[in-house]
Amino acid sequence: MHGPERREEPERPQKNGHHQYSVFHVSSTVRKQEIIKITEQLIEAINNGDFDAYTKICDPGLTSFEPEALGNLVEGMDFHKFYFDNLLSKNTKPIHTTILNPHVHVIGEDAACIAYIRLTQYIDAQGRPRTTQSEETRVWYRRDGKWLNVHYHCSGAPAAPLQ
């Protein structure tokens, strides 16, 4: 999985002639890296069919728009559990995901949004390697010091390859 390009903010001169690195920029950069990392962990839980790990990273009231929901807003974990129980946990073939061009919006101390392209490589039922692409956005909220995915939007191919 790929991280964002790193851009250093130049030092800002102070009135007294000294330079000071922007504290907001440093904390914002760290927060953005946290959001990318937790997003990678969530996708890893999906790829591994690990519903327990998935539920620890998602808010119980998770809302989502995704291809599997046929344009409907889904709320809660039951919809997702069906795919874990009947597809993801039964998969024995490798799945590899790459996050491309992640863009994180830090929205205060306890909220962030990430948008990215997700490439999913897998082996289909005939044993051929395949790749799907989806465009995804996740909204994260930090509650009691822990980041939780509270909303997910996916356009393009289904997140879970229907092998």
Side-chain angles (χ1 to χ4, degrees):
M1 299 196 196
H2 303 291
E5 294 180 22
R6 290 182 180 236
R7 284 178 265 172
E8 295 297 323
E9 183 176 298
E11 292 182 346
R12 297 181 182 186
Q14 301 296 307
K15 288 182 183 177
N16 62 9
H18 296 289
H19 294 276
Q20 179 182 23
Y21 197 80
S22 170
V23 174
F24 175 77
H25 176 75
V26 172
S27 65
S28 176
T29 301
V30 169
R31 178 104 9 88
K32 288 178 180 183
Q33 290 299 320
E34 284 178 18
I35 296 302
I36 292 168
K37 183 178 179 184
I38 194 72
T39 301
E40 291 172 344
Q41 290 171 358
L42 180 66
I43 292 171
E44 184 177 337
I46 294 167
N47 289 349
N48 292 335
D50 188 345
F51 189 69
D52 186 50
Y54 181 76
T55 58
K56 289 178 182 171
I57 301 173
C58 292
D59 184 85
L62 173 72
T63 54
S64 61
F65 285 110
E66 54 191 287
E68 296 88 345
L70 307 175
N72 295 288
L73 178 66
V74 175
E75 185 174 351
M77 301 305 285
D78 289 344
F79 184 84
H80 306 280
K81 187 172 184 340
F82 176 85
Y83 287 95
F84 275 89
D85 289 349
N86 295 290
L87 177 66
L88 296 167
S89 65
K90 297 183 183 322
N91 182 41
T92 58
K93 297 175 184 165
I95 297 176
H96 181 262
T97 297
T98 304
I99 293 177
L100 300 176
N101 304 317
H103 185 84
V104 178
H105 295 278
V106 175
I107 311 165
E109 287 292 313
D110 296 320
C113 177
I114 184 171
Y116 53 91
I117 302 296
R118 177 176 169 186
L119 294 181
T120 303
Q121 298 167 277
Y122 65 99
I123 306 300
D124 71 11
Q126 286 74 43
R128 294 178 296 216
R130 299 283 185 200
T131 303
T132 61
Q133 175 179 309
S134 56
E135 301 79 35
E136 300 183 2
T137 303
R138 292 183 185 273
V139 177
W140 293 92
Y141 179 71
R142 187 165 49 187
R143 184 179 302 131
D144 300 324
K146 182 178 164 196
W147 287 106
L148 296 173
N149 186 202
V150 295
H151 181 76
Y152 167 63
H153 186 110
C154 176
S155 299
L162 303 174
Q163 305 163 5

